[in-house]
Amino acid sequence: MTDRIDDDERDELQDEDVEEQDHDDNDDAGDAWKPPTELEWRKVQRALKRANKEAENLRRNSETTNEAEKEETEKRIREEAVTDSEARWKPIVVKQAARAALAEAGLVKNPNRLLKLLEMDDIDVSEDGEIDGLDEQIRDFKKEYPEFFGRRSPRDVDGGDKGSRATRDKGSAALIARSLTGGR
């Protein structure tokens, strides 16, 4: 850093020497364009170097600012994408899990009525697929709508032994055949 200061001081001293020489040479003032003097040239070059350094520093600062803004924007976009994807698949996953849980709880009627009553905001799906909050809602459904739940009874069942169709008598010929064969 001290080398830079020494260089600047040396340049200024040289510029003063050159400036004195230039004042002596500037006696003939004409309207024609004259190239810059050595002093003017050095001043312009130093100013240009300073401006270039300052511009480089501003670019670096701008790049770091742009990178931070870029990272912030990417993070916001990722969060929006996650939210959008959850909004799409969460109801599907929850409804399928609810159908299975309602069937397991003994639902005897159509589950669509109860599925419409699910509070999706109260149900969370973790990354590993665990569904939290569904069991509580199904317990509440069982309390509020007991007519939807119960044991399913098989249809058309009575206590009589009807036997299989193969062993049923089909007529007198079958009775005679069974008696001759010993009931086989």
Side-chain angles (χ1 to χ4, degrees), residues 125-130:
V125 180
S126 65
E127 287 186 21
D128 62 341
E130 294 293 320

Side-chain angles (χ1 to χ4, degrees), residues 7-71:
D7 289 342
D8 287 342
E9 289 176 6
R10 184 177 32 135
D11 287 343
E12 287 179 19
L13 290 174
Q14 287 176 349
D15 289 345
E16 289 174 5
D17 292 340
V18 172
E19 190 174 314
E20 288 175 12
Q21 291 174 358
D22 285 344
H23 285 300
D24 295 338
D25 294 342
N26 283 341
D27 292 338
D28 49 320
D31 290 339
W33 179 82
K34 293 181 184 176
T37 63
E38 187 177 344
L39 174 66
E40 292 172 337
W41 180 255
R42 286 184 183 171
K43 285 182 180 179
V44 169
Q45 289 300 313
R46 273 198 310 270
L48 179 63
K49 283 182 184 178
R50 282 188 213 121
N52 284 338
K53 286 179 185 178
E54 187 176 327
E56 180 65 27
N57 288 337
L58 289 174
R59 262 187 249 116
R60 285 185 190 145
N61 290 340
S62 174
E63 287 174 2
T64 56
T65 303
N66 288 342
E67 288 176 15
E69 289 175 3
K70 189 176 183 180
E71 288 176 12

Side-chain angles (χ1 to χ4, degrees), residues 65-98:
T65 303
N66 288 342
E67 288 176 15
E69 289 175 3
K70 189 176 183 180
E71 288 176 12
E72 176 102 10
T73 302
E74 288 176 355
K75 182 179 177 182
R76 184 176 38 81
I77 289 172
R78 270 188 243 113
E79 289 173 354
E80 287 175 3
V82 166
T83 304
D84 290 345
S85 67
E86 283 181 3
R88 285 186 186 157
W89 60 261
K90 182 181 174 183
I92 296 169
V93 171
V94 169
K95 283 183 181 179
Q96 289 302 320

